[in-house]
Amino acid sequence: GLGAGIARAAVREGARVVVTGRRPEPGEKLVAEFAEQGVAALFVQADVSDVAQAQAAVARAVAEFGRVDCLVNSAGLTSRGTLVDTTPELFDAHIAVNLRGPFFTMQAVVKDMLRRGAPGTVVNVISIAELGGQPYLAPYVAAKAGLAGVTRNAAHAHRWDRIRINGVNIGWT
């Protein structure tokens, strides 16, 4: 939903897009929609919780289009857990999807921008929950708060490289 909406907005503004996701059917359907409009687009099946897959998706985008000008990290896991009942497996799943995947995807894109000496943009979809959140979203809050911190850190680190890195604290979508 959210990623598809972002991709559609980018296409409306003239962008070529690479869409990633775990399930091929929705991604391929979206890319077919773009193809009908005459827009160059690519679907890469990737699970952002797997760092190698996330980095390979960036490499595929660069191979296909020659560069990445903008990355939007919009994947998110919102399964429920409180401080008291969250298992280590649930916690790790949230960290993998909501923090580790975006971190290493952002790393791969920024490395490409630095290699080319080119400006670029990264947008991380965070959440207002990173400021506290509902009690039943404890692992989600932990991961999104981490993503907010790394977003600020990367923005500061790469400001002079002309790489703009921002996070958006959206509410429920």
Side-chain angles (χ1 to χ4, degrees):
L2 180 61
I6 293 166
R8 285 185 182 105
V11 164
R12 278 194 305 272
E13 295 299 319
R16 298 178 297 178
V17 298
V18 176
V19 178
T20 64
R22 290 175 295 150
R23 297 177 296 129
E25 191 172 287
E28 290 169 355
K29 183 178 177 185
L30 184 61
V31 167
E33 174 188 319
F34 297 150
E36 289 175 8
Q37 300 169 29
V39 174
L42 173 69
F43 171 70
V44 177
Q45 186 174 358
D47 182 344
V48 73
S49 70
D50 181 317
V51 171
Q53 288 184 41
Q55 292 173 327
V58 174
R60 179 86 189 277
V62 171
E64 183 74 21
F65 293 118
R67 67 184 200 267
V68 175
D69 296 319
C70 178
L71 167 68
V72 178
N73 278 311
S74 66
L77 180 64
T78 60
S79 48
R80 306 299 193 243
T82 69
L83 177 65
V84 175
D85 65 16
T86 294
T87 64
E89 295 78 17
L90 178 61
F91 185 84
D92 290 347
H94 275 273
I95 295 300
V97 172
N98 296 326
L99 177 57
R100 190 179 66 218
F103 181 98
F104 286 103
T105 305
M106 183 169 50
Q107 179 189 72
V109 166
V110 169
K111 281 182 177 181
D112 174 65
M113 292 171 181
L114 292 171
R115 177 187 58 78
R116 294 181 294 111
T121 301
V122 174
V123 178
N124 290 320
V125 176
I126 304 174
S127 170
I128 59 171
E130 64 103 352
L131 301 172
Q134 293 83 358
Y136 55 84
L137 292 176
Y140 176 81
V141 168
K144 290 297 188 172
L147 183 58
V150 82
T151 298
R152 288 188 299 272
N153 177 266
H156 178 74
H158 295 287
R159 68 195 186 282
W160 302 118
D161 299 318
R162 301 175 302 142
I163 301 172
R164 185 178 60 238
I165 301 172
N166 290 301
V168 291
N169 273 346
I170 62 173
W172 289 108
T173 57

